[in-house]
Amino acid sequence: MPQIFHRSFNTISRLTIFGSLFVLAGIFWAGNVYVRSDYVTGVGEARDQPVPFSHQHHVAGLGIDCRYCHTTVESSAFAGIPPTRTCINCHQQIWAKSPMLEVVRESWRTDESIPWRRVHNLADFAYFDHSIHVKKGMGCATCHGPVHQMPLTWQHASLHMEWCLECHRHPERHIRPRDEIFNMEWVPPRDGGKLAAKLIDEYQVRSTKTDCSTCHR
Amino acid sequence: MQPPRPANGSGTSTPVLAPGHTFGSITDKISSIVLARKTTRGWMLGLAVSFALVMVLFASLGYLIVRGTGIWGINAPVMWGFAIVNFVWWIGIGHAGTLISAILLLLKQPWRTSINRFAEAMTLFAVACAGIFPLMHMGRPWFFYWLTPYPNTMGLQPQFRSPLVWDVFAVTTYLLVSLMFWYVGLIPDMATLRDRAKNRAAQIVFGFLAMGWRGSAKHWFRYEQAYLLLAGLATPLVVSVHTVVSFDFAVAILPGWHTTIFPPYFVAGAIFSGFAMVLTLSIPIRSIYGLQDFITLRHLDNMAKIILATGMLVSYGYAMEGFMAWYGGNEFEQYVALNRLFGPYAPVYWLLLACNVISPQIFWFKRFRQSIPVLFVVSLIVNVGMWLERFIIVVTSLHRDYLPSSWDMYYPTFWDWATYIGTIGLFVCLLFLFVRFLPMISIFEMRALQSEVQGKEQTT
C-alpha cells in the first residue's frame, strides 16, 4: 500500500504539536504586555492643549501651590479645573498681549470655557474622590507623578485597577504626612515603615478600602 | 480455581455480541457505515431538521447578545431560570458516557464495549450544549475569560470560595478529559478507516486523525497505558463534576438548597438521566444501522437496570428532602416542601414524581426491560422527569425564600424555549454528523471482545 503522507510529516507534526505550546504561551505573554503598554494606557503622552499650559513653569518656576487653581481638591470628589478668571488674575498684567494667550483672553471676553483636553480620564464605573485621598495622606505626586517637571501635562500612571489596588492593598508604601501632600519632592524618611504605621493609625486608613463597593458604587 | 463463567460474563442468556461474527465481519459492518454506506434520505432529512434548530439556537443567542438577558424570563427573585436548569440537565446527561467508558472499563464489564464510543460522543455534545448556558447567562459572554485566574490588569483573581468558580474548573476539566478519552480511543479505528478508505480525501483526513498509527506492539502498549491512565483520570470526574454542580446550590443558604444530600443525589440523578439518554439514542441507532448484533438486548437490559437503581436513589433523595424538612423543624425548609407539593408549581412537582419515581419501576420486570417500545418511552419520560427536577430545584427555592415581600413567579419566555430547543437541535445535529463520519462503535474493541467470546467458547 502506498504511503499517504511523506516521511517528513513525522517531524512536521511533532514540531507543530510542541511548537503550538510555545506559540500559545507567546500570544498570552504578548497580550499581557500589550494591555499594559503605554500605547494602550496613554502613559507619558503629553497632551496638546488649546493653550500650552506648563505646570513646570507655574509650579517649579513660580512656586504656585496646587490649590491656587485646583481649589476643591481638599473638599470634593473633583479637584477642579480653574475658571478662566484664575488665569486672568495674573495674565491681565503679565503677558497680557502675548499671542499665545489669545485663547484665554477670548474665553474671558466671550464667557466661553477654554476647551481643555482631559489628561486623566478614569472609567465612569469607578468612583473616585480626591478629598478622601488627600485627607488620608496621599500626595498629589503619588498618582500624578512629578507634575512640576511637565511642560505639557501627561498621564503618569496606567489607571488600571491593579494600579489602584496596589496602593489600596499596601497604603504603607505611599502614605505621607498631611502637611507634605502638595510637596512635589517629598521622599519618605529612612525608616519610613515606622512613620507609615503611625500615619495609618492616626488617619484611620481602614481595611474596607478593598471592598468592591468602595469604588464601584 | 474459579468456576468458568459463561462467555457473556454473567448468568443471563443474551450475549453481549451475537454469535457468528469474525474479525472481518465486525470491521466490515462498522467501517462500512462510514465508508461505503450511501448517504440516505432519512439522514439528510434528520440533519436538515436538526440543523434548522441549530439556526434557531444561533438566532436566539444572537438576539440575546444584542438585547441582553432581559429577553429571558429571569428577574428578581428568580435570577437563574432556564439557563441553569438546562445547564444542569445537559451536564447530567453527559455523565453516563463517562461512567460507561471509565468506570465500566476499570470494572472490566464487557457490555460497555459496543456503547462506549457513542456514549462518549454524547457526553462531549452534551457538555458543549451545557456550556452555552452559563456562558450566555453571564450577560457579557465576551468577558468569559474573567472566570479564569490570569494576571489581569484588574489585579483580581476569581473568588475561590465560590462554588461557581469551582464549577468552571470542574466543567472545563470534564470537557478536556472527555475529549482526550474519546479521541485516544478513536485513534486505532481512525487507522482502520484510513487503511480501508478508497478516496484520497478520506485517506488524508483519517490518516491525519490517526496520528501515524501503525498498530505495532509498541503502539498498542502505549495506547493501553494511556487509555487506562485516562480512565483513571475520568473516574473521579463521574462523581466530582456533578458534586460541584450541586455545590452551586448546596453552598447557598437558600431553603431547599442548603442540604448535605445534594452531592450524592445530584450524581445519582446525572447517571439516571444519562443512561436514559443513552437508551433514547441507542434504540433508534441500532435499528436504523442494523447493529442489533452489537448492541444486544443484553445491553438494553443492563441499562434499564441501572436506570432502575439510580431512579431508586433519586427517589430516596426526594423522600429525604421531605423527611428532613419535617424532622429538621426549620419552618422555611418546611415551607419549601409544602410549596413544592401544593404551591403554584405543584403540577410540575407531581409530574416529576410520576416521571422519576413511578415510571422506572416498570423495569423490575424483565419482560419490560427487553421490550424496545417500553424502553424507548420510559427513557424519554425519564429525560423529561430529570429536566423537571432541575426546574423544581432552581425555581421553587428561588421564587419564595425567607422574605414574602420579595416572592414572585417565574415564567419562561419564547426565547427561553427557543434557546433550549436550539441546544437539543445542536446535540442531535452533532450526533447525526458523528454517526455519518466516525465509527460509532469501537471496531478494535469489538474485535477484542469477539476473540474473548470465541476463546471462552473453545475452552468450555
Side-chain angles (χ1 to χ4, degrees):
Chain A
M1 202 185 73
Q3 289 296 314
I4 301 168
F5 298 104
H6 189 256
R7 281 179 70 89
S8 62
F9 261 72
N10 285 330
T11 320
I12 292 173
S13 41
R14 277 193 197 110
L15 267 181
T16 45
I17 289 168
F18 290 111
S20 66
L21 291 179
F22 292 96
V23 171
L24 287 176
I27 290 172
F28 182 73
W29 175 80
N32 261 308
V33 169
Y34 175 74
V35 291
R36 289 176 176 82
S37 65
D38 295 351
Y39 178 75
V40 173
T41 59
V43 167
E45 182 192 330
R47 281 276 172 122
D48 278 330
Q49 299 289 358
V51 188
F53 177 84
S54 167
H55 276 95
Q56 184 181 38
H57 171 65
H58 289 84
V59 179
L62 305 175
I64 300 176
D65 190 277
C66 306
R67 288 163 290 182
Y68 180 74
C69 302
H70 305 293
T71 50
T72 53
V73 71
E74 290 172 301
S75 56
S76 110
F78 189 46
I81 289 293
T84 306
R85 167 178 281 284
T86 308
C87 311
I88 291 294
N89 279 347
C90 299
H91 286 296
Q92 58 179 324
Q93 306 290 336
I94 310 158
W95 298 100
K97 297 264 185 300
S98 162
M100 235 198 289
L101 298 181
E102 178 51 33
V103 178
V104 180
R105 289 191 298 272
E106 196 200 323
S107 159
W108 180 240
R109 280 196 304 273
T110 59
D111 218 23
E112 293 280 319
S113 299
I114 302 170
W116 297 110
R117 291 178 66 203
R118 190 165 193 149
V119 177
H120 287 81
N121 193 4
L122 200 62
D124 289 348
F125 50 75
Y127 174 81
F128 179 82
D129 189 313
H130 273 93
S131 65
I132 191 70
H133 286 85
V134 170
K135 281 274 192 318
K136 300 282 178 180
M138 284 303 135
C140 304
T142 305
C143 302
H144 292 287
V147 174
H148 66 301
Q149 292 167 3
M150 298 181 185
L152 275 176
T153 316
W154 61 76
Q155 188 182 316
H156 173 68
S158 70
L159 304 189
H160 279 150
M161 183 170 153
E162 64 179 355
W163 167 77
C164 302
L165 279 177
E166 193 271 324
C167 187
H168 275 231
R169 283 172 180 157
H170 304 287
E172 69 279 1
R173 293 176 188 166
H174 305 279
I175 198 164
R176 60 172 80 181
R178 276 184 189 141
D179 48 8
E180 300 289 350
I181 300 290
F182 302 99
N183 179 356
M184 282 291 138
E185 279 161 342
W186 185 82
V187 281
R190 183 96 21 107
D191 64 336
K194 242 186 223 159
L195 175 69
K198 181 177 148 285
L199 292 177
I200 282 175
D201 188 46
E202 197 182 316
Y203 299 163
Q204 299 182 340
V205 178
R206 294 178 203 279
S207 62
T208 52
K209 64 199 176 302
T210 49
D211 288 357
C212 303
S213 60
T214 300
C215 310
H216 303 293
R217 298 191 166 184
Chain B
M1 277 286 283
Q2 279 191 336
R5 295 189 307 170
N8 51 40
S10 93
T12 42
S13 51
T14 332
V16 287
L17 173 63
H21 274 289
T22 62
F23 279 16
S25 75
I26 289 171
T27 313
D28 274 342
K29 183 98 191 162
I30 302 171
S31 67
S32 69
I33 293 173
V34 177
L35 295 173
R37 191 183 158 103
K38 290 242 161 51
T39 305
T40 58
R41 211 172 270 171
W43 185 85
M44 286 303 280
L45 185 71
L47 184 74
V49 170
S50 57
F51 191 73
L53 289 177
V54 176
M55 291 300 113
V56 171
L57 175 68
F58 286 168
S60 31
L61 293 184
Y63 188 58
L64 178 81
I65 287 171
V66 173
R67 289 288 307 276
T69 46
I71 66 166
W72 286 345
I74 49 173
N75 208 334
V78 184
M79 293 295 194
W80 276 9
F82 259 36
I84 307 304
V85 173
N86 297 337
F87 163 70
V88 180
W89 188 70
W90 277 121
I91 283 280
I93 283 174
H95 276 60
T98 324
L99 183 106
I100 291 171
S101 46
I103 293 187
L104 296 189
L105 175 80
L106 296 181
L107 294 178
K108 298 197 192 308
Q109 291 293 305
W111 63 277
R112 76 178 269 286
T113 305
S114 60
I115 50 173
N116 74 335
R117 173 70 50 75
F118 77 77
E120 282 168 39
M122 178 196 83
T123 297
L124 281 177
F125 304 154
V127 174
C129 292
I132 291 172
F133 287 101
L135 207 65
M136 289 297 158
H137 189 248
M138 287 192 294
R140 291 187 294 170
W142 48 93
F143 289 128
F144 72 95
Y145 56 89
W146 285 4
L147 292 165
T148 59
Y150 72 99
N152 55 53
T153 59
M154 295 170 282
L156 286 180
Q157 296 297 312
Q159 173 55 280
F160 284 105
R161 284 176 291 186
S162 162
L164 300 180
V165 172
W166 311 341
D167 223 13
V168 175
F169 288 99
V171 173
T172 42
T173 310
Y174 188 43
L175 180 66
L176 286 177
V177 172
S178 305
L179 188 66
M180 283 195 292
F181 203 44
W182 185 65
Y183 185 70
V184 169
L186 266 170
I187 288 176
D189 280 2
M190 291 296 182
T192 306
L193 290 179
R194 172 197 64 194
D195 297 343
R196 294 174 76 95
K198 294 282 184 294
N199 78 55
R200 182 86 187 134
Q203 281 179 342
I204 288 177
V205 170
F206 287 124
F208 200 81
L209 293 172
M211 298 179 108
W213 179 269
R214 292 186 308 277
S216 72
K218 206 173 181 180
H219 282 180
W220 280 111
F221 175 69
R222 285 185 182 154
Y223 168 82
E224 292 289 346
Q225 276 189 322
Y227 203 64
L228 264 183
L229 274 176
L230 282 172
L233 266 180
T235 299
L237 290 178
V238 178
V239 181
S240 71
V241 176
H242 231 59
T243 298
V244 172
V245 171
S246 80
F247 284 163
D248 290 346
F249 302 92
V251 173
I253 51 164
L254 223 54
W257 285 3
H258 194 62
T259 82
T260 47
I261 203 173
F262 259 36
Y265 160 52
F266 265 55
V267 172
I271 294 163
F272 183 51
S273 66
F275 270 93
M277 188 57 97
V278 177
L279 266 186
T280 311
L281 299 177
S282 55
I283 288 170
I285 283 178
R286 73 195 275 276
S287 60
I288 290 169
Y289 290 98
L291 297 171
Q292 286 93 339
D293 285 358
F294 298 155
I295 304 172
T296 64
L297 281 176
R298 171 82 190 290
H299 293 96
L300 304 183
D301 185 281
N302 278 358
M303 288 195 270
K305 282 178 186 161
I306 291 186
I307 288 177
L308 177 60
T310 48
M312 299 293 283
L313 286 173
V314 170
S315 309
Y316 175 78
Y318 302 148
M320 272 307 114
E321 278 187 323
F323 173 75
M324 288 313 292
W326 167 74
Y327 186 68
N330 180 314
E331 59 177 307
F332 298 106
E333 292 286 346
Q334 279 167 6
Y335 182 73
V336 167
L338 289 176
N339 187 40
R340 281 181 181 168
L341 283 167
F342 307 112
Y345 293 108
V348 183
Y349 191 62
W350 290 105
L351 193 57
L352 129 74
L353 291 182
C355 291
N356 288 357
V357 180
I358 312 233
S359 79
Q361 303 305 326
I362 201 170
F363 289 149
W364 285 105
F365 306 101
K366 185 169 183 181
R367 192 152 60 91
F368 295 120
R369 286 202 305 271
Q370 305 216 335
S371 152
I372 304 289
V374 170
L375 283 167
F376 190 65
V377 170
V378 172
S379 74
L380 285 177
I381 291 176
V382 168
N383 279 321
V384 173
M386 283 311 290
W387 188 88
L388 295 174
E389 185 208 288
R390 275 62 178 255
F391 182 88
I392 284 293
I393 291 174
V394 168
V395 175
T396 56
S397 278
L398 281 170
H399 95 121
R400 290 184 176 176
D401 66 352
Y402 301 101
L403 202 62
S405 63
S406 57
W407 287 2
D408 207 348
M409 290 294 286
Y410 166 78
Y411 301 105
T413 62
F414 168 80
W415 293 106
D416 278 308
W417 288 109
T419 318
Y420 175 45
I421 292 168
T423 54
I424 295 178
L426 175 67
F427 182 73
V428 176
C429 183
L430 289 168
L431 275 170
F432 267 107
L433 293 174
F434 165 69
V435 297
R436 178 70 189 81
F437 293 110
L438 290 172
M440 69 182 105
I441 294 177
S442 175
I443 300 171
F444 73 94
E445 282 183 315
M446 287 304 282
R447 289 189 295 222
L449 184 70
Q450 193 272 341
S451 75
E452 210 175 295
V453 170
Q454 206 176 41
K456 279 184 180 156
E457 271 164 6
Q458 280 161 1
T459 53
T460 46

